[in-house]
């Protein structure tokens, strides 16, 4: 699949343990897709919610398009995500039953369309974050010593 990554949410992997991943389309306006293609999107504090059998993306900031006129979009508006009904029901059951959170991980372009990779994750505790940081530093030290 032709995949051009536009934006990553690195904070998601730091704050959550991601168990499953889904790919969803996004409903965008004309100036939003132009702004995304130029790299003007931030997924840092964004999250997804299921309402009335539909999924929506909140707190994602798409900066206004530079050449946009009075028809430019609102940067922080709620955007609808496109998933199959079965996938939405499956995710909704996991959220209610197991306490998962829907976290956007990555936004990419596939054949000209903007796609969003969503992850089902549980929040990490402080000691989990310290443990992963310690593992990263240990593997980095081992790789450094092997290079010498």
């Amino acid at each position: 699949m032709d995949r051009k990554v536009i934006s990553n949410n690195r904070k998601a992997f730091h704050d959550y343990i991601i168990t499953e991943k889904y790919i969803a389309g996004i409903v965008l306006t004309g100036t939003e897709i132009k702004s995304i293609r130029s790299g003007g999107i931030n997924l840092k504090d964004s999250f997804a919610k299921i309402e009335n059998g539909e999924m929506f993306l909140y707190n994602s900031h798409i900066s206004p398009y530079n050449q946009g006129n009075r028809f430019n979009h609102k940067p922080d508006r709620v955007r609808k995500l496109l998933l199959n009904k079965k996938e939405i029901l499956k995710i909704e059951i996991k959220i209610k039953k197991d306490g998962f959170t829907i976290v956007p991980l990555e936004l990419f372009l596939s054949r000209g369309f903007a796609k969003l990779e969503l992850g089902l994750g549980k929040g990490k505790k402080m000691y989990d974050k310290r443990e992963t940081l310690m593992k990263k530093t240990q593997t980095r030290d081992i790789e450094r010593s092997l290079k010498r």
Side-chain angles (χ1 to χ4, degrees), residues 17-22 90-91 94 100 105 118-121:
I17 300 169
I18 306 297
T19 56
E20 288 185 42
K21 293 181 182 180
Y22 296 93
K90 185 178 174 184
I91 292 170
K94 289 201 176 190
F100 282 100
L105 303 175
L118 299 169
L120 277 179

Side-chain angles (χ1 to χ4, degrees), residues 1-2 5 25 28 32 55 67 92 96 102 112 122 127 138 140 144-145 148:
M1 176 165 46
D2 185 30
V5 177
L28 298 170
E32 285 178 328
M55 192 176 292
Q67 283 80 33
E92 191 171 21
K96 289 180 180 175
I102 310 168
K122 282 195 173 187
Y127 57 85
Q138 287 174 351
R140 194 179 314 125
R144 284 181 187 161
S145 64
R148 293 181 190 162

